[in-house]
Structures are given as C-alpha cells and as structure tokens.
Amino acid sequence: MTEIDRQPPLRVLQITDPHLMADDTGALLGVRTRDSLDAVIAQARRDHAAPDLILATGDIAQDGSETAYRLFADRLKAFDCGSAWIAGNHDDAEVLNCVAAEMNAGCRHLVVGGWQFVLLDSSVPGKVFGDLPGSELAFLEKTLADNPELPALIALHHHPVDIESEWMSAIGLQNRDDFWEIVDRFPQVRTVLWGHVHQEYDDYRKNVRLLATPSTCIQFKARSVRFSVEERAPGYRWFEMMANGDFTTGVRRAEDFTYELDTNSTGY
C-alpha cells in the first residue's frame, strides 16, 4: 500500500442555490429560503458532520445583498472547516467577493487532500445565462497546466452540457466549446460540478464525471419543456475523495422539511 493509499478521504460538501434575501421572511415560490437552508445544514450536520471543505456554487443570494452573504457565512459556522464561494446569475459578484474575502472563502484554486479545486466565475452581470471570459479560460488552462499531477475538480455555476431540459438550454454556459477544448487536454480532470439547475444530475463526458446538485430551496422538474418545479426536498451533495483521484459522491435531502410550493409559478 502506498502513502497515497493510506491517506484518509477528503470530505467535501457542495451547497448550492440558497437564494437568500435580506428580508428574514424572504421566500421563493412559497419556500422561505432561510428555513430551507437551515434544514439542509441540519441534515448535513446529522449525516456529514465533519467536512474538510464546503463548495458554494452560486446563487447564494436572490437579491445580491450584503446581508444575505453575511447570513450565509454565519450559517456555515455550523461546520468547522473552510469554504469557497462562486457567483451565480442572481448574485452580485462584487458584493459576494468582498464578503467571501473577509471569510477566507474567496480562493479559486485550492489544493487540499491531494486534490485541486478550480472554481470559475461564469456569472454575467444582468444575465441569466453564463459565460467564461478569456481571463477565466486562461486561469483554468494555466492552473491545470501548472498542476498536472493533481486530480482536479472544476466547479462553476452554469451547466456546461445539455441536461435535456428545453427551457434551460438557453441559460447554461454559452461558450461551453471553449471550456471543453481546455478540459479535454488535461486528463487529471476527474469531475465538473455545477449548480443553477436545481436538480440532481450525474453523467459522464468521455472520462469526466458531470455532476449537478439540488438547490437548498426549490427544485426544478427534470427534462421539462418549460419552467416547472416539483415538490422535492432541498438537498446537498457529499464527496469522499481519495488522493489517487478516486471518489464517491451522492445527494442527501432534508426530507423532513415541510413547505407549500407555488407550483403554478412561471418563473422565479
């Protein structure tokens, strides 16, 4: 057994799309987003109480308010570990980055437990769709080129593949071909992880595992033609990651959380 094989797994949680608001009663389609985040964190504390890292993959705030980001930081104190945040289409990236920097959650290349985590900002101010500007693509390429020996997880907010949901096709990553042209050249990339889609997704593209995760608030119906939500519990994703590049992952939901979802809404 090698030294790498003897290392304990790195424990990582992904928390995504809380859509928090400055208003303490703020709700999204009938779901109070503070309450649903609290329920998810309580579930994670029961099932995965001691993570080594938390990845927050966007839409942390619905209203882009500093209050929402500080509330999120406060909620993460339930875990004794660091976190890394990236912006989604509902976030104010500038405000998010300021609060994240204060919380030591603004690093976008982390090396932990024999893995590297590359976090990309795909948010476009005032737009729902995502795009990776040249600076982000250059950062991705250089980071992977400089660290060929480390298995890599790439995280962003917007989905870089078709998820068979017609209404979401136009609001994913617009320059996905540029993204994949880089990723395809670096075999150390093991997985690409995102938020935005408010549903579980698990597939492969070549040898790269593609993963999306339920929101901590409302859930979008999978494979829907038009905007549609479903009454599924909010959740999070867990990882156990070995330094040799192997990992296991799954989704847990706060099944005990009760709410009255506005299923007639045509948007959010």
Side-chain angles (χ1 to χ4, degrees):
M1 181 179 291
T2 67
E3 184 64 29
I4 286 179
D5 292 331
R6 283 192 289 268
Q7 292 182 30
L10 181 73
R11 297 159 300 185
V12 178
L13 302 183
Q14 181 200 13
I15 292 177
T16 196
D17 298 85
H19 291 269
L20 297 171
M21 307 174 206
D23 181 355
D24 60 6
T25 63
L28 198 63
L29 277 61
V31 178
R32 289 195 177 188
T33 59
R34 293 191 187 194
D35 293 347
S36 58
L37 176 61
D38 287 344
V40 169
I41 288 176
Q43 187 70 46
R45 290 269 295 162
R46 288 192 292 271
D47 296 340
H48 298 93
D52 300 300
L53 176 66
I54 292 173
L55 302 175
T57 51
D59 281 357
I60 294 171
Q62 171 74 4
D63 58 6
S65 67
E66 181 178 345
T67 298
Y69 299 122
R70 294 198 180 280
L71 173 72
F72 185 66
D74 182 69
R75 293 303 197 266
L76 291 190
K77 291 177 183 177
F79 304 101
D80 187 21
C81 70
S83 61
W85 309 357
I86 49 177
N89 52 288
H90 285 276
D91 288 307
D92 184 316
E94 183 176 352
V95 179
L96 181 153
N97 290 335
C98 285
V99 177
E102 288 183 31
M103 306 301 166
N104 296 315
C107 184
R108 297 201 296 116
H109 180 235
L110 301 93
V111 176
V112 190
W115 277 75
Q116 60 178 317
F117 298 84
V118 186
L119 285 81
L120 303 175
D121 184 355
S122 60
S123 66
V124 180
K127 303 295 182 182
V128 180
F129 63 76
D131 184 84
L132 292 171
S135 57
E136 289 295 295
L137 294 170
F139 165 68
L140 173 63
E141 183 173 26
K142 184 178 189 306
T143 301
L144 294 176
D146 288 349
N147 300 276
E149 76 287 359
L150 291 173
L153 178 152
I154 300 171
L156 69 167
H157 181 66
H158 294 83
H159 48 296
V161 295
D162 179 19
I163 63 164
E164 299 180 39
S165 186
E166 187 174 322
W167 72 273
M168 296 201 81
S169 296
I171 62 171
L173 185 68
Q174 297 298 287
N175 60 336
R176 61 186 62 178
D177 290 345
D178 296 333
F179 171 76
W180 288 113
E181 190 278 327
I182 294 171
V183 172
D184 287 345
R185 289 190 276 114
F186 294 97
Q188 76 266 39
V189 177
R190 299 294 197 271
T191 184
V192 175
L193 175 71
W194 63 87
H196 192 48
V197 299
H198 290 231
Q199 61 194 266
E200 184 176 357
Y201 184 86
D202 191 338
D203 203 353
Y204 281 87
R205 183 187 181 278
K206 298 182 179 179
N207 293 319
V208 177
R209 194 162 176 187
L210 310 174
L211 296 168
T213 298
S215 164
T216 69
C217 58
I218 62 171
Q219 310 305 312
F220 298 156
K221 187 176 181 180
R223 299 181 184 84
S224 54
V225 174
R226 59 187 61 84
F227 179 86
S228 182
V229 292
E230 61 179 350
E231 295 184 15
R232 296 203 67 185
Y236 69 97
R237 179 175 293 278
W238 60 268
F239 291 87
E240 290 193 352
M241 311 178 80
M242 304 302 296
N244 65 4
D246 293 337
F247 67 92
T248 55
T249 186
V251 164
R252 291 284 176 87
R253 295 179 185 265
E255 299 289 357
D256 293 339
F257 179 67
T258 59
Y259 59 94
E260 293 186 11
L261 181 67
D262 178 8
T263 57
N264 296 317
S265 177
T266 58
Y268 72 109

